[in-house]
Amino acid sequence: MTSEFTLKPTQTFFQENSHFGLEPSNIILFEQRMIPAVTFDGNVILERKGKIAMAPDGNGGLYQALVDNNVLEDMKRRGVEYVHVYCVDNIMVKMADPVFVGFCVTKGADCGAKVVEKAHPDEPVGVVCRVGGVPQVVEYSEIRPEIAQLRGPAGELVHSAGNICNHFFTRSFLHDVAEKFKEQLKQHVALKKVPFVDSCGNQVKPTKPNGIKMEKFVFDVFPFSRNFVAFEVLREEEFSPLKNSDGAAADTPTTARNSLLAQHCHWVTAAGATLLDEHGNSIQIPPSSSTENRLPVQCEISPRVSYFGEGLEQLLKGKTIKTPFILDEAAAKELQAQ
């Protein structure tokens, strides 16, 4: 799903990369709806002369977009019964994770969510929980501090299931949402920096939020589920979001990149190989999952060689590998021939 701003660049990117080896007819790109951005007083913002500033309607716009673009009918025609939905800002996502999907199917779930243990009570992530027996995500801004800090007998956070926007749905559940529930989704206020033209017609790019965008959230359908499940995963293996620009304390392009490289380094050493730096010295990969302890070692494994570290031992065990190291399909064939 794209917005009107990202549809064409996304199409071009897939074309330039030969659709990453996928059959083009199996890749369906579709747009979500756009809604006007308004000032804090409720007035429409002009992006430029004669054009109202518009914004995507949030990731919860998925359900209307599925209807607008006949995507559910296309899924039914193709025999698709289960759907994996995730937000694009997580570099560590395991697309169509067979373990997660299999867990949800085995449990007979119509809706599921991956979660990670919250790093601390004040971490700005929503919490997957039950309110009055109904599953939902409670945003971090909606939880009172004394509730967020509640701990169990072993010192663990009581409300620890951090939402990472990584979900399982059955097609039939999506159909029910589209047909019965999409109009019941809540609207959320997002304060944004919205470029505008002033009264003299000059283009202005604000440095602080000046407008409101109303958004829907993809996880607000959880209360409509008849059988909801949560599936906890390790943060260092599956969650490194991109939220901020470099220079911020966390969740930047650099921390996301280093998370992926650190994971691939662990895969290589777990397969029995030794990594060397450019001077021929052995690289010790720290076991800690904290970003500040991760070395930006240049080691990358193509997903067309290994999905999650499996199958590497037969290629790498006992080998000494100098970094930077990229293990793509061509490199894998060379290692197999050795």
Side-chain angles (χ1 to χ4, degrees):
M1 182 174 75
T2 73
S3 70
E4 69 175 37
F5 305 125
T6 57
L7 178 60
K8 185 60 178 177
T10 304
Q11 289 174 328
T12 301
F13 187 71
F14 271 84
Q15 291 166 359
E16 290 176 347
N17 288 276
S18 302
H19 298 88
F20 302 95
L22 301 173
E23 176 59 46
S25 63
N26 289 334
I27 300 173
I28 309 299
L29 303 178
F30 58 96
E31 290 185 43
Q32 64 189 116
R33 289 188 176 185
M34 308 287 287
I35 55 177
V38 298
T39 65
F40 298 141
D41 297 326
N43 295 317
V44 169
I45 298 174
L46 286 182
E47 177 184 322
R48 59 177 184 267
K49 292 181 180 180
K51 187 176 190 310
I52 294 174
M54 304 290 286
D57 58 355
N59 54 35
L62 168 69
Y63 308 107
Q64 183 64 58
L66 292 176
V67 174
D68 291 344
N69 298 278
N70 299 313
V71 177
L72 291 175
E73 288 79 0
D74 182 76
M75 288 182 182
K76 183 176 181 180
R77 178 178 59 80
R78 295 169 182 264
V80 173
E81 297 296 336
Y82 308 112
V83 182
H84 180 213
V85 174
Y86 68 94
C87 281
V88 72
D89 62 2
N90 179 17
I91 196 173
M92 307 286 280
V93 69
K94 294 176 67 178
M95 293 179 60
D97 177 9
V99 177
F100 176 48
V101 173
F103 173 80
C104 294
V105 172
T106 300
K107 294 293 184 181
D110 57 3
C111 179
K114 279 191 177 184
V115 300
V116 297
E117 183 179 5
K118 287 183 66 175
H120 52 81
D122 299 323
E123 183 181 9
V125 294
V127 173
V128 178
C129 58
R130 292 187 182 273
V131 178
V134 178
Q136 67 181 73
V137 174
V138 178
E139 283 297 281
Y140 66 92
S141 58
E142 300 170 345
I143 302 178
R144 297 196 308 274
E146 63 271 23
I147 300 298
Q149 294 174 19
L150 284 176
R151 294 187 179 272
E156 76 282 5
L157 286 175
V158 171
H159 303 291
S160 64
N163 177 46
I164 60 174
C165 209
N166 191 321
H167 309 313
F168 164 92
F169 301 114
T170 62
R171 180 177 54 79
S172 60
F173 176 72
L174 290 175
H175 182 270
D176 287 345
V177 170
E179 192 173 70
K180 306 173 186 176
F181 304 123
K182 70 178 187 297
E183 303 303 328
Q184 300 179 36
L185 294 182
K186 296 181 290 185
Q187 294 279 353
H188 299 267
V189 174
L191 305 182
K192 301 287 186 178
K193 292 179 284 189
V194 184
F196 65 97
V197 290
D198 61 19
S199 57
C200 297
N202 300 313
Q203 186 78 29
V204 179
K205 292 187 176 181
T207 57
K208 59 182 181 179
N210 66 312
I212 294 172
K213 296 180 179 179
M214 301 302 296
E215 299 179 343
K216 295 179 181 180
F217 293 160
V218 67
F219 49 74
D220 278 340
V221 299
F222 290 0
F224 308 130
S225 170
R226 290 184 293 273
N227 186 15
F228 174 84
V229 297
F231 186 80
E232 186 175 335
V233 298
L234 296 175
R235 178 187 298 262
E236 60 266 29
E237 293 184 355
E238 299 202 36
F239 186 54
S240 185
L242 175 59
K243 300 291 186 183
N244 308 305
S245 58
D246 276 331
D251 302 339
T252 67
T254 295
T255 60
R257 176 176 176 269
N258 288 352
S259 293
L260 186 70
L261 295 177
Q263 182 185 63
H264 291 188
C265 285
H266 283 292
W267 291 358
V268 169
T269 55
T274 300
L275 287 171
L276 303 179
D277 63 19
E278 65 272 20
H279 305 296
N281 300 315
S282 177
I283 300 173
Q284 300 300 316
I285 307 300
S288 172
S289 62
S290 60
T291 301
E292 61 269 22
N293 289 332
R294 290 179 179 171
L295 299 175
V297 178
Q298 301 294 305
C299 177
E300 188 170 352
I301 311 296
S302 167
R304 299 182 73 174
V305 174
S306 180
Y307 177 76
F308 204 59
E310 80 290 344
L312 296 179
E313 187 171 335
Q314 59 184 352
L315 295 173
L316 303 176
K317 187 174 182 179
K319 290 185 169 60
T320 300
I321 296 171
K322 190 172 183 178
T323 57
F325 174 63
I326 297 179
L327 182 58
D328 56 16
E329 290 176 296
K333 289 180 180 178
E334 288 183 14
L335 288 170
Q336 285 176 327
Q338 292 178 7

